[in-house]
Amino acid sequence: MNEQEIFQCVQSQQEVFRSYDIHIPQSGLLAGLHKPVFSKNLFKNAFGEDNVHFPMGDAVLKYGVQGVLELTAKRTAEDTEKTAVYRQAVHGVYIGVREFILKHMDRALEMKRERPKDAGRLQKIADNCQAIACGKPRTFIQALQLFWFLYLLRRPFGGGCIGRLDQKLYTFCKSDMERGAWNREEAMEAVMQFYGYLNEIRTGDTLRNLMLSGQDEGGRDLTNELTWVFLEAYERTGDAEPHLNVRLHPGSPEELKRTCVRMLSEGKGQPTLYFDRWIMPAMERAGIAHTDACRYANDGCTETVIDGRSHIAFWQHEMVKTVELTMFNGDENPFIYPVSMRKNSRDMPEFTPKTGLSTGFRSGNIESMGTFGDFLSAFKSQLYFQLDRELETIGRKIYEDETVTVTSPFLAGTFEDCLLTGRDPLRGGGFSVYDYQLLSGTVTTAADSLRAIEYCVFEKKYCTLNELREAMAADFKDREPLRQRLLHAPKYGCGEERVDELAAWISRLFIDRVDAYRTESGKRVWPGLYNIDFKIFANITGATPDGRRFRDPIAEHCSPTPGAAKKGPTAIIESASRLPMREGYASSPLHITLNKSDFVMGADREGIVARLIEACDEAGVPVLNISMYDAAELRRAQQEPERYKDLIVRVWGFNARFVELDEELQEHIIRRIC
Amino acid sequence: MESAMIMDIQRYSLHDGPGIRSTVFLKGCHMSCLWCHNPESQHREPEMMYYPELCVGCGGCLGRCTKGAAGEGGIDVHICRDCGQKRECAEACPAEALRVCGSRRTTEEVLRELLRDRSIYGAEGGVTCSGGEPLLQAGFVRELFRLCRREDIGTCIDTTLNVEWREIESVLALTDLFLVDIKFMSEKLALKYTGAGCGRTLENLRRLSELKKPVYIRTPLIAGVNDIAPESAERERFIGELENVIRADSFYVTDHAGKKYRALQRENWLARQQDKKNISEKGDAE
Ligand code: SF4
Ligand code: SF4
């Protein structure tokens, strides 16, 4: 962007701010709420680069809007042409921010005149607005109010990552306590109002992840009063938003673990648990400083970010499709036809996905493969070819970010380094950690496919490789007996050593290849055994050797293919323990979906959930989500959505109301139950 | 080394004692409760099961069978009963519509399976031997539990207690918890519904109580038979006199095992009761 474009951006950003509703609630203290506005062009023009998948910086909380304006008001002696212009842009945007907040103050005062009975509350709102617009936040409520305004302003669709809010806002809570002014009930109500607004705006894939607790640089636990407030507020409200996450480590208080168990036993898949002892060391092995690793949070989904020090960009590798390309020597399964689908929610627009892999790489003709080893070598070369291309793409993006990308000045203003230096966060102004990720979940369905080839073609000789390929090309039409053989071959998630070993082998190939990559400037790409687009993959990957037909579900993350885990959750944990999950520090989650109707006849639900959590931690699972549904109940909800509006389920990195998901995802979730 | 006829090993069992458990189902039972929800556990010998809903009609079995069990309408598993080819036939079926239930396994083999969840049982959970009647193969249970003890895994046995006291005694010291059904208090009803009397069960329960051995009591209820006086009152009094009961549950028997009865081609008493009831209700309505 040149100077002129930057100022155009500032202008449109201010314009967008002006178009938002001014909202003073009928009760409670938290002001600000507007309906989501969707417009692709508007985003581009007004906001510059910001995918809202990572938390904002904390500088505005620290300096207040006024402080930001002061820091950016004048060109400094160290400024270059570029930094001076950028500084000015930030300044311009924050004038709009101040205006937006002051409008709320004005409205509150106006309402106060009309409603003398409610004067006390309305005056408080006005005071809070004035304090954060013209000075620094002094109290918890003011800090939460400021955070909420910024959150609303960041993106007009009301979504985006929240980050470690119990840490960000704790200094304010602490100072309230020190002054004897901490009012827990008032704080609780404000937090519940914050949650209520989120749910009112929109639910589902909203990227609203709130990360709680963790540890400091000395390994001391960071659970604080706000951690409890945020958890309790969720227990009191219990809706889909926000998406809760808790970091656990050996020093976590027992009470925190018990609270997580109690909440998870409700069956809503909240919170997701992150185990510091697996995630942080892997980050540090990859060269991320300990002080940074301590600050990790999750992004809009489950991928890791360094709160206040990184942004995030990620790409996904199609692992099961890689098996297909190996089988067809670089081509797609000819059976595939374009499928029009929705990403997750019923009210999203339809689109027709295509593979992101490159066809045409000849990894070997299956006619010449005499052993299973031959097939594995071909798979490996196909995989490396695809990964190298993907890494190159990421490398190009990194180069662009190192040189020309312009970060949204609004976002930049939340980073202290930017305010002090006038630099873009991407180039010295805040993102001191570069977070570019290549992710591949679905290693498990890929492993099922490889094992089925080994078992059915090379061990049991039910068919030849050629016959298998023909059957796949026919989507198993008229090949049902063969498909049955493939379906009954051993599957990941049942504690079968060999197929788990293959899943681990694929994961290793992937992680090592990604780990070994460096950009010209020496930057790394973070590997993760994770994927959000498993539903897209299912619609672009033809029949697979595990007996799956075109469009049948594909596994997510490190979880078994839906329907494959026939031996229950402990067998899933056994299988998962064989994967190098903890090396995939960009995120390698395990989802376990329990059957709610199992908990009868005195089965101690919380005790069992607690055991499973401990077992996963011991097995090296870095990120764990446990949810609990009753298949019959989900079926009824499909029939009568009106009656089941409050049924919350876990999808990938988010929770949603079951009845709002599109049918394919609903089916996927029902088949996950083990 | 002991071995036993094993029907199945189920991981993550939540209803066979406290916590998360692995349950070893031993095949063979000397009772014949009409509502049995594990009908495949009753006979000691391996049995062929045929699931018509899984059959894809490939004809694989037709080509193999020389005994006339396989026909257009499926498999007559009664003919398979004494045939030595069961495993080969099951292997020939691609859809696992034909399955052999039961295989002889040693304590060592079984322990290997149980150790998979070693770290998950915790202090609460552990291993349960169930069946069938596990104490019909008490030697196996004893050796298996001894191995479990060595691994510090909790042990529990789900038994009718309708066996000689010495069989119970042989596993007593190695068993942490007994799960016992009290089905009937009256000998006559017991004979009618379970094919065996109940006196020995009640007597053995008393002895366990004297020894303060912990038990969970469970009562399968059949509407109009043992959920009414005098059965219910006597049962309550009996349980009240015991000093070792940690918990007591009762539940109405339901037709959970319909598929398995069909696969064994055996009569399903519960389903028949249900049908009768439906017919009479329909009659009432009309
Ligand atoms: S087990 Fe024997 S009787 Fe049964 S189908 Fe096979 S060959 Fe026929
Ligand atoms: S072999 Fe199995 S699938 Fe084929 S006809 Fe026989 S029972 Fe059915």
Side-chain angles (χ1 to χ4, degrees):
Chain A
M1 262 194 243
N2 59 33
E3 197 171 326
Q4 199 192 344
E5 282 167 333
I6 288 183
F7 287 108
Q8 251 168 19
C9 163
V10 171
Q11 225 167 31
S12 353
Q13 195 143 34
Q14 288 187 347
E15 236 164 77
V16 177
F17 291 171
R18 276 186 213 118
S19 74
Y20 291 158
D21 299 334
I22 303 301
H23 172 83
I24 304 297
Q26 295 301 322
S27 66
L29 292 178
L30 205 59
L33 180 65
H34 51 76
K35 286 274 158 252
V37 186
F38 290 93
S39 157
K40 232 183 177 162
N41 282 336
L42 180 117
F43 289 176
K44 257 207 143 66
N45 293 336
F47 293 92
E49 183 97 345
D50 173 13
N51 60 14
V52 300
H53 274 260
F54 55 97
M56 293 178 279
D58 303 332
V60 189
L61 291 172
K62 180 172 173 186
Y63 293 104
V65 177
Q66 185 59 31
V68 172
L69 289 172
E70 282 162 18
L71 282 166
T72 49
K74 281 195 224 92
R75 188 181 169 134
T76 67
E78 290 82 37
D79 266 342
T80 62
E81 267 326 294
K82 265 196 176 151
T83 59
V85 167
Y86 199 61
R87 198 187 283 283
Q88 220 179 324
V90 174
H91 189 82
V93 171
Y94 277 81
I95 288 182
V97 172
R98 185 172 59 185
E99 198 179 295
F100 177 74
I101 299 175
L102 288 175
K103 273 201 218 162
H104 284 82
M105 180 186 79
D106 294 342
R107 176 69 57 82
L109 291 174
E110 220 171 274
M111 281 171 68
K112 184 187 155 196
R113 282 191 290 278
E114 291 158 14
R115 297 189 212 171
K117 275 199 186 136
D118 205 6
R121 183 183 70 92
L122 293 163
Q123 184 64 49
K124 243 189 201 172
I125 293 177
D127 291 348
N128 288 343
C129 292
Q130 187 181 22
I132 56 179
C134 307
K136 295 178 194 176
R138 299 280 174 208
T139 66
F140 168 74
I141 299 285
Q142 289 175 1
L144 181 68
Q145 177 69 75
L146 178 54
F147 174 82
W148 175 238
F149 279 140
L150 295 173
Y151 186 85
L152 280 173
L153 291 173
R154 186 180 185 188
R155 257 310 193 265
F157 58 69
C161 180
I162 297 169
R164 305 176 74 201
L165 204 54
D166 62 338
Q167 307 304 316
K168 290 172 189 290
L169 300 184
Y170 185 57
T171 50
F172 304 98
C173 162
K174 208 165 114 206
S175 95
D176 283 356
M177 285 173 173
E178 283 160 5
R179 285 184 290 114
W182 171 243
N183 180 341
R184 191 174 197 272
E185 207 33 49
E186 188 185 73
M188 180 71 71
E189 261 165 39
V191 170
M192 282 164 63
Q193 194 162 29
F194 163 48
Y195 289 0
Y197 286 162
L198 294 177
N199 284 292
E200 201 178 320
I201 298 174
R202 198 158 72 89
T203 61
D205 190 9
T206 56
L207 315 176
R208 292 177 188 139
N209 271 308
L210 171 55
M211 174 62 94
L212 299 171
S213 189
Q215 61 186 287
D216 71 4
E217 289 156 23
R220 281 173 297 263
D221 179 62
L222 287 176
T223 308
N224 62 38
E225 174 70 358
L226 289 182
T227 315
W228 300 115
V229 169
F230 283 122
L231 287 170
E232 195 183 321
Y234 185 79
E235 282 194 279
R236 290 213 214 166
T237 49
D239 210 341
E241 308 284 326
H243 311 147
L244 289 187
N245 306 274
V246 173
R247 279 175 52 178
L248 293 177
H249 58 98
S252 297
E254 284 305 313
E255 181 58 24
L256 182 63
K257 292 187 213 164
R258 268 198 300 276
T259 305
C260 293
V261 167
R262 186 174 67 236
M263 293 175 73
L264 284 167
S265 301
E266 286 285 306
K268 292 178 180 171
Q270 296 253 58
T272 300
L273 304 178
Y274 288 70
F275 297 101
D276 286 3
R277 69 164 168 147
W278 302 127
I279 295 172
M280 286 172 44
M283 287 184 161
E284 290 172 35
R285 277 196 294 280
I288 296 168
H290 178 64
T291 48
D292 290 332
C294 288
R295 299 175 63 109
Y296 85 85
N298 58 322
D299 75 333
C301 294
T302 313
E303 299 92 323
T304 47
V305 293
I306 307 298
D307 193 333
R309 308 232 169 124
S310 84
H311 72 328
I312 185 176
F314 56 86
W315 286 257
Q316 296 178 80
H317 174 70
E318 298 159 29
M319 194 59 88
V320 185
K321 186 88 184 170
T322 311
V323 178
E324 175 182 309
L325 291 185
T326 310
M327 201 71 191
F328 291 87
N329 196 10
D331 294 325
E332 289 193 80
N333 185 331
F335 183 84
I336 296 170
Y337 52 85
V339 174
S340 175
M341 62 172 277
R342 293 188 169 83
K343 191 158 183 221
N344 51 63
S345 166
R346 279 166 191 273
D347 46 15
M348 279 186 164
E350 292 206 8
F351 70 107
T352 306
K354 279 204 306 263
T355 180
L357 297 182
S358 318
T359 52
F361 175 74
R362 307 291 169 213
S363 46
N365 195 329
I366 55 162
E367 269 86 15
S368 60
M369 295 179 193
T371 65
F372 182 54
D374 294 342
F375 189 86
L376 288 184
S377 323
F379 171 76
K380 185 170 156 184
S381 65
Q382 185 67 248
L383 175 65
Y384 280 178
F385 170 79
Q386 301 294 345
L387 289 181
D388 291 348
R389 291 187 60 107
E390 285 156 357
L391 288 163
E392 260 171 49
T393 306
I394 300 174
R396 275 196 298 277
K397 172 64 179 156
I398 294 178
Y399 178 72
E400 217 178 282
D401 289 352
E402 287 171 334
T403 50
V404 295
T405 311
V406 176
T407 303
S408 139
F410 170 79
L411 175 72
T414 67
F415 286 87
E416 187 170 18
D417 286 352
C418 167
L419 299 178
L420 300 179
T421 63
R423 287 167 175 270
D424 188 297
L426 285 165
R427 293 177 290 280
F431 303 152
S432 52
V433 180
Y434 258 40
D435 185 354
Y436 295 80
Q437 309 187 337
L438 183 54
L439 306 166
S440 175
T442 70
V443 291
T444 56
T445 305
D448 290 349
S449 297
L450 295 184
R451 179 64 182 129
I453 293 173
E454 180 179 43
Y455 185 78
C456 295
V457 176
F458 293 100
E459 289 174 10
K460 296 283 186 178
K461 304 201 180 347
Y462 294 135
C463 65
T464 63
L465 264 182
N466 241 328
E467 285 160 351
L468 176 59
R469 184 181 55 191
E470 274 168 30
M472 286 163 61
D475 204 36
F476 297 116
K477 187 165 183 298
D478 302 325
R479 311 286 207 289
E480 192 53 26
L482 174 58
R483 191 175 93 90
Q484 288 294 328
R485 286 292 185 200
L486 299 165
L487 282 174
H488 289 101
K491 300 279 182 277
Y492 171 90
C494 302
E496 302 254 4
E497 282 84 353
R498 176 58 181 158
V499 59
D500 296 350
E501 211 173 86
L502 285 167
W505 177 74
I506 300 170
S507 309
R508 273 249 153 271
L509 289 181
F510 172 77
I511 290 174
D512 290 349
R513 196 69 169 186
V514 176
D515 265 343
Y517 175 79
R518 296 288 183 283
T519 65
E520 268 180 33
S521 59
K523 298 216 167 52
R524 288 174 183 256
V525 173
W526 301 14
L529 302 175
Y530 179 69
N531 56 279
I532 59 178
D533 285 337
F534 49 87
K535 202 183 113 181
I536 294 180
F537 299 166
N539 282 329
I540 56 173
T541 308
T544 37
D546 59 341
R548 179 193 147 273
R549 283 173 299 223
F550 178 43
R551 303 196 63 192
D552 282 351
I554 284 180
E556 71 262 24
H557 325 317
C558 301
S559 309
T561 309
K566 297 236 188 306
K567 295 198 171 158
T570 61
I572 296 179
I573 297 171
E574 182 188 351
S575 288
S577 74
R578 300 198 174 101
L579 295 186
M581 293 175 75
R582 54 189 114 149
E583 300 306 321
Y585 56 94
S587 180
S588 301
L590 182 67
H591 275 190
I592 296 184
T593 308
L594 303 178
N595 188 348
K596 218 179 200 168
S597 47
D598 274 343
F599 295 97
V600 291
M601 290 255 294
D604 164 21
R605 194 192 290 216
E606 290 185 15
I608 284 156
V609 169
R611 279 309 304 150
L612 292 176
I613 292 173
E614 272 171 46
C616 286
D617 184 14
E618 279 155 29
V621 171
V623 181
L624 174 66
N625 186 273
I626 295 188
S627 42
M628 218 180 277
Y629 316 125
D630 176 351
E633 188 185 11
L634 296 182
R635 291 270 175 233
R636 284 196 300 275
Q638 284 181 314
Q639 306 295 318
E640 304 171 81
E642 285 308 305
R643 288 184 49 209
Y644 291 89
K645 283 210 164 118
D646 56 348
L647 192 65
I648 309 294
V649 296
R650 179 76 180 180
V651 187
W652 48 82
F654 67 92
N655 300 286
R657 298 194 180 119
F658 180 74
V659 297
E660 286 172 6
L661 297 174
D662 73 285
E663 272 153 58
E664 260 175 274
L665 265 184
Q666 288 183 342
E667 283 304 315
H668 187 105
I669 282 165
I670 292 173
R671 288 175 71 166
R672 257 189 209 158
I673 301 171
C674 64
Chain B
M1 193 187 309
E2 294 278 350
S3 69
M5 188 58 74
I6 304 293
M7 183 179 110
D8 194 13
I9 298 174
Q10 193 193 323
R11 301 170 71 172
Y12 185 68
S13 284
L14 304 183
H15 306 137
D16 298 316
I20 299 176
R21 317 190 69 86
S22 291
T23 303
V24 183
F25 291 92
L26 288 95
K27 199 159 150 50
C29 186
H30 55 318
M31 320 236 313
S32 47
C33 304
L34 289 174
W35 63 85
C36 180
H37 61 277
N38 281 336
E40 77 280 31
S41 73
Q42 291 179 333
H43 299 170
R44 179 73 160 267
E45 295 311 313
E47 276 170 284
M48 191 65 125
M49 296 174 84
Y50 168 62
Y51 292 87
E53 66 274 19
L54 300 179
C55 171
V56 295
C58 69
C61 52
L62 277 178
R64 281 195 59 87
C65 182
T66 49
K67 311 254 165 74
E72 287 302 328
I75 305 277
D76 182 346
V77 297
H78 300 291
I79 301 179
C80 301
R81 190 161 180 167
D82 297 317
C83 178
Q85 300 226 47
K86 291 195 244 333
R87 294 201 195 276
E88 292 79 358
C89 288
E91 164 65 17
C93 173
E96 292 187 7
L98 273 178
R99 277 180 238 171
V100 183
C101 171
S103 60
R104 189 153 276 288
R105 296 167 87 171
T106 65
T107 46
E108 196 178 294
E109 285 164 349
V110 171
L111 182 72
R112 205 176 309 136
E113 280 301 302
L114 301 178
L115 286 177
R116 289 176 184 272
D117 285 339
R118 173 78 195 74
S119 65
I120 294 179
Y121 302 136
E124 274 274 282
V127 165
T128 299
C129 279
S130 179
E133 172 48 65
L135 289 178
L136 295 183
Q137 305 183 72
F140 176 89
V141 175
R142 188 167 53 243
E143 192 172 292
L144 183 68
F145 278 7
R146 192 168 292 138
L147 294 171
C148 288
R149 275 282 160 90
R150 202 178 296 162
E151 297 287 341
D152 209 17
I153 298 174
T155 55
C156 172
I157 187 159
D158 181 355
T159 168
T160 65
L161 282 189
N162 186 13
V163 292
E164 297 279 344
W165 174 252
R166 61 184 156 77
E167 304 290 1
I168 300 169
E169 207 172 19
S170 74
V171 297
L172 201 58
L174 294 163
T175 307
D176 298 325
L177 175 72
F178 283 80
L179 308 181
V180 184
D181 284 6
I182 300 187
K183 292 160 182 155
F184 294 100
M185 301 302 294
S186 120
E187 197 72 3
K188 205 172 129 215
L189 284 177
L191 275 170
K192 177 171 171 197
Y193 284 94
T194 72
C198 58
R200 189 157 60 169
T201 297
L202 300 176
E203 174 52 29
N204 285 335
L205 248 177
R206 268 199 208 95
R207 293 180 79 160
L208 284 181
S209 168
E210 280 158 25
L211 294 166
K212 304 270 187 305
K213 201 74 200 174
V215 298
Y216 280 13
I217 303 265
R218 296 184 298 190
T219 302
L221 294 174
I222 305 158
V225 179
N226 64 350
D227 63 341
I228 49 170
E231 274 289 315
S232 53
E234 273 179 40
R235 185 171 56 239
E236 228 166 83
R237 188 172 44 75
F238 179 83
I239 295 175
E241 281 167 15
L242 298 174
E243 293 174 51
N244 55 342
V245 178
I246 298 184
R247 57 176 300 136
D249 295 293
S250 56
F251 52 91
Y252 280 93
V253 294
T254 47
D255 182 18
H256 277 319
K259 265 192 193 161
K260 294 196 280 189
Y261 277 100
R262 272 196 298 284
L264 292 161
Q265 294 166 1
R266 265 194 239 153
E267 190 190 6
N268 180 351
W269 177 80
L270 265 177
R272 198 159 44 105
Q273 298 306 303
Q274 195 54 47
D275 287 349
K276 274 192 203 155
K277 197 167 153 237
N278 291 346
I279 291 168
S280 79
E281 272 169 14
K282 217 171 138 207
D284 292 347
E286 282 161 8

